[in-house]
Amino acid sequence: MTVNDVKTILGACILCGEQYLGKEVHTACGADMMSDVLAFVKDQSVLLTGLCNPQVIRTAEMMDIVCIVFVRGKKPDEAMVTLAAESGIVLLSTEHRMFTACGLLYEKGLHGGASD
């Protein structure tokens, strides 16, 4: 699956990183607590979250996350968009709630990684 597939499945709008829509993604994680992402997530390509602060971008950088999807229509501020763009991270926003967004991606074959 590609980032563009994620965008299409979730009916998401792109906030930055259009040039990376062709990147492959193999796993996903849904979390609002970045400490959980740091502690439990391995090799995740997509992070779905309702948390909208710079720590999300910093966590994604540390974990080599390709794409962040903000759920419930959340939109990051310009500073976050700039930080993500500088790091080569795609930012998407979807109106879906976290549970629904994760379910839609799972249904299309994007799973959670080693613990599946």
Side-chain angles (χ1 to χ4, degrees), residues 19-33:
Q19 66 272 37
Y20 304 117
L21 289 178
K23 278 192 173 182
E24 289 284 326
V25 294
H26 302 286
T27 56
C29 170
D32 285 340
M33 293 184 64

Side-chain angles (χ1 to χ4, degrees), residues 6 18 51 70 87 92-93:
V6 171
E18 292 175 18
L51 186 63
F70 294 100
S87 299
L92 302 175
S93 178

Side-chain angles (χ1 to χ4, degrees), residues 53-74:
N53 69 40
Q55 299 312 319
V56 175
I57 308 299
R58 295 294 185 202
T59 301
E61 288 174 328
M62 290 175 22
M63 302 304 291
D64 295 324
I65 290 171
V66 172
C67 175
I68 300 169
V69 179
F70 294 100
V71 296
R72 299 187 311 275
K74 298 272 183 109

Side-chain angles (χ1 to χ4, degrees), residues 34-89:
M34 294 302 104
S35 59
D36 284 349
V37 175
L38 290 169
F40 301 110
V41 173
K42 301 271 189 283
D43 302 322
Q44 301 300 321
S45 302
V46 179
L47 172 62
L48 294 97
T49 188
L51 186 63
C52 208
N53 69 40
Q55 299 312 319
V56 175
I57 308 299
R58 295 294 185 202
T59 301
E61 288 174 328
M62 290 175 22
M63 302 304 291
D64 295 324
I65 290 171
V66 172
C67 175
I68 300 169
V69 179
F70 294 100
V71 296
R72 299 187 311 275
K74 298 272 183 109
K75 300 244 168 86
D77 63 23
E78 270 310 306
M80 287 178 62
V81 172
T82 300
L83 188 58
E86 290 170 354
S87 299
I89 298 170

Side-chain angles (χ1 to χ4, degrees), residues 93-104:
S93 178
T94 182
E95 294 297 322
H96 291 292
R97 293 181 179 188
M98 175 92 70
F99 182 82
T100 303
C102 290
L104 289 168

